[in-house]
Amino acid sequence: MNKPLFDFDLKRVSHKHYITGKAAINFPHPGSTTGGWHFLSYFDRESGVTKVSLAGIHYPDTTAYFGNLGIIDVTDELVERGWSMDGHRLFMADHYRAAADMIVRWALSESNHCSVEIDDWFPSRAERERLLEILDTGKSKLSEVGRLQKVEAWLRTQT
């Protein structure tokens, strides 16, 4: 039996099971120049339904790769947009961590195609460098699991 690709509410969101993947990539984080393209595709306030992937549930737990880098408390931002969980804190990957999580998920798969498009998603040099810095922190773990060469080959096609 396949496990669901998404959670449709925010009840299981925690620091350990933070929102990641495309819902996090598309979240308009304050002060960020990336993301926000398709926010309403993942957070439909009118219906009260979310469509979010959670780390450690729908995505691999990437703590061994990246520690707590890029996991942020977005409770206040979600409350401003009409999402409240009665005092429950809500955590999400920032754009860089979400992309890194997506890259690790792909690297661990048998797929040849990674859906992350660095130049499109991170158009400035500073943004690309920040993503690459996060990926660098995961290199030893990627090597340990035999997937570093796959990621490095893909990176050569991206820059």
Side-chain angles (χ1 to χ4, degrees):
M1 179 179 196
N2 291 336
K3 61 182 176 180
L5 297 176
F6 303 105
D7 266 27
F8 297 102
D9 58 41
L10 302 173
K11 292 177 181 168
R12 296 197 295 177
V13 175
S14 67
H15 193 271
K16 180 179 180 179
H17 299 297
Y18 57 89
I19 299 165
T20 193
K22 288 194 176 179
I25 287 286
N26 286 290
F27 190 78
H29 293 289
S32 177
T33 59
T34 63
W37 306 291
H38 304 291
F39 171 74
L40 295 177
S41 298
Y42 300 94
F43 297 88
D44 183 353
R45 188 61 228 140
E46 281 188 30
S47 70
V49 173
T50 63
K51 193 165 73 172
V52 297
S53 296
L54 303 179
I57 296 174
H58 310 102
Y59 268 67
D61 178 353
T62 59
T63 306
Y65 297 83
F66 310 118
N68 289 321
L69 287 173
I71 301 171
I72 55 177
D73 185 329
V74 293
T75 307
D76 294 340
E77 289 86 0
L78 283 169
V79 166
E80 285 176 18
R81 289 171 173 82
W83 297 92
S84 179
M85 292 302 296
D86 300 321
H88 179 80
R89 303 306 295 172
L90 301 169
F91 295 88
M92 183 181 298
D94 66 13
H95 299 140
Y96 306 98
R97 175 61 179 261
D101 285 350
M102 291 174 72
I103 293 164
V104 167
R105 181 181 190 203
W106 162 76
L108 297 175
S109 77
E110 297 306 316
S111 175
N112 291 324
H113 176 73
C114 182
S115 64
V116 176
E117 297 291 336
I118 293 176
D119 288 341
D120 291 345
W121 296 6
F122 303 98
S124 79
R125 182 179 176 88
E127 291 165 342
R128 286 189 297 275
E129 289 299 319
R130 185 161 174 207
L131 174 63
L132 294 175
E133 287 171 7
I134 289 178
L135 289 174
D136 278 347
T137 65
K139 278 186 173 180
S140 64
K141 183 66 177 171
L142 283 165
S143 180
E144 183 182 310
V145 298
R147 297 301 176 140
L148 181 58
Q149 288 180 333
K150 181 178 182 180
V151 171
E152 288 176 337
W154 170 76
L155 280 170
R156 286 191 293 275
T157 70
Q158 293 292 302
T159 53

